Amino acid sequence: MFVYGGDAERLTRLDTVFVADAYPGAGPVGGVLGALDHLAATSPTGTDVASMRVFVLACDLALVTAAELAALLDAADTHPEPLVWVGSTSRLEPMCALWSMRARSDIAAAFESGERALHRIISGLDHVTVPLDDHALRNINAPDDLPG
């Protein structure tokens, strides 16, 4: 597990690996692409990188539990061919998704063409929408956003 992007000074205090953002200011698309690039570059020699799946979870989705992540894994086990399994409520939540490393070239091509909306990239890929609890996908951007 690693934390990708953000405030290095604050995040290095966590008990995890911090990876600097390779595409600062490029939003979620740059974040997903950078994380996949990092994994591809740091995977041990002989690893079948194309067969890897990678969870991407935004830091403001603080209420996501193991049950939601398990639902994404179950969807990937049931439907193994898509490039992304994305959480949803009444809309997609692109920053709660399980990505196939096979999606990396498609994301890179979209990024290079100027696309910065992750939901549009997902819509153009073979994907599975996984219904998740509204509460779990609630954005927590400030202490007042936490449930009572």
Side-chain angles (χ1 to χ4, degrees):
M1 182 173 101
F2 63 91
V3 175
Y4 182 85
D7 183 337
E9 185 176 320
R10 290 179 64 203
L11 293 170
T12 53
R13 292 183 285 173
L14 299 175
D15 188 21
T16 189
V17 174
F18 172 79
V19 177
D21 191 345
Y23 307 102
V29 176
V32 171
L33 179 59
L36 297 181
D37 286 348
H38 171 75
L39 284 169
T42 60
S43 293
T45 303
T47 301
D48 181 10
V49 174
S51 71
M52 292 172 60
R53 295 175 182 159
V54 180
F55 273 117
V56 173
L57 184 62
C59 62
D60 62 359
L61 295 175
L63 303 177
V64 171
T65 67
E68 284 80 31
L69 300 180
L72 291 167
L73 285 172
D74 290 345
D77 288 343
T78 304
H79 308 284
E81 293 306 314
L83 297 177
V84 61
W85 301 265
V86 60
S88 71
T89 55
S90 59
R91 62 180 181 82
L92 290 181
E93 179 45 77
M95 292 305 292
C96 180
L98 181 63
W99 290 85
S100 168
M101 286 294 283
R102 295 178 293 117
R104 193 167 140 240
S105 61
D106 293 309
I107 299 167
F111 184 79
E112 289 170 14
S113 73
E115 182 59 70
R116 295 299 182 267
L118 199 51
H119 69 277
R120 283 197 290 265
I121 292 174
I122 290 171
S123 294
L125 297 175
D126 185 8
H127 69 279
V128 171
T129 301
V130 181
L132 299 178
D133 181 57
D134 287 346
H135 177 77
L137 295 183
R138 180 176 174 184
N139 284 349
I140 307 295
N141 296 309
D144 289 345
D145 294 337
L146 289 167

